[in-house]
Amino acid sequence: MSNGWEEIAGDFIAAREQSSIGVDVARAWAQTLPNGAAILDLGCGTGVPIALALSKDGFRIYGVDASPTIIAEFKRRLPQMSAACEPVETSPFFGRSFDGIVSIGLVFLLSADAQRRLIFRAAAALDPGGHFLFTSPSPVCEWTDLMTGRKSRSLGEETYIRLLSEAGLDLVGNAVDEGENYYFHAVKT
């Protein structure tokens, strides 16, 4: 259920240990949220660096990751935050709605159908006016993930914009971080 991440959890944990890629983009996005907002982190990993940075900024983080080893590390690093070991495709998202949802490095790992469903599920889990931030390359493309060896795919910016709109979200911005990751920032209308 972890799409290959449990098998390489040790390597992933070691690789993320010193990373700060994406923190500036996530912090700038979080400034659009109310102080102390509840943020759902889909594919939260160990919490480093995104959830850790946002929690230090006073946000309440709810992390979801399907790897038992990786989510255990999230719980160790952020014991005051909520965490669930569940695949994002079927997670009940803690049975609540959120001011913001962030998904860094996850969406493109899913099949095209799973990406579509996740965008609609994320939109449904956002409060009115809530913000959704996720990463995927802008062009339509496929590649092999370097860590898991599994196929990754971007549906492309045009398709993501259409899906966001169909789900009741408006694209309000894009960003690129120092690792050349492409971000989509949408708001629930």
Side-chain angles (χ1 to χ4, degrees), residues 2 9 11 16 28 30 32 40 42 50 60 65 120 127 166 170-171 186:
S2 71
D11 292 338
R16 297 301 287 171
T32 65
L40 177 62
L42 298 174
I50 303 302
R60 293 174 289 132
D65 200 285
F120 278 82
D127 290 329
E166 290 172 3
D170 289 330
L171 184 70

Side-chain angles (χ1 to χ4, degrees), residues 97-99 120-132 164 167-172 185-189:
S97 61
F98 298 88
D99 302 299
F120 278 82
R121 292 186 70 231
L126 279 172
D127 290 329
H131 292 254
F132 181 34
L164 290 166
L169 301 169
D170 289 330
L171 184 70
V172 295
H185 176 187
V187 176
K188 186 170 184 173
T189 52

Side-chain angles (χ1 to χ4, degrees), residues 145-161:
D145 180 75
L146 293 175
M147 292 195 82
T148 65
R150 294 182 182 216
K151 185 172 154 184
S152 295
R153 73 215 34 85
S154 170
L155 304 181
E157 186 163 7
E158 184 177 305
T159 298
Y160 289 127
I161 291 170

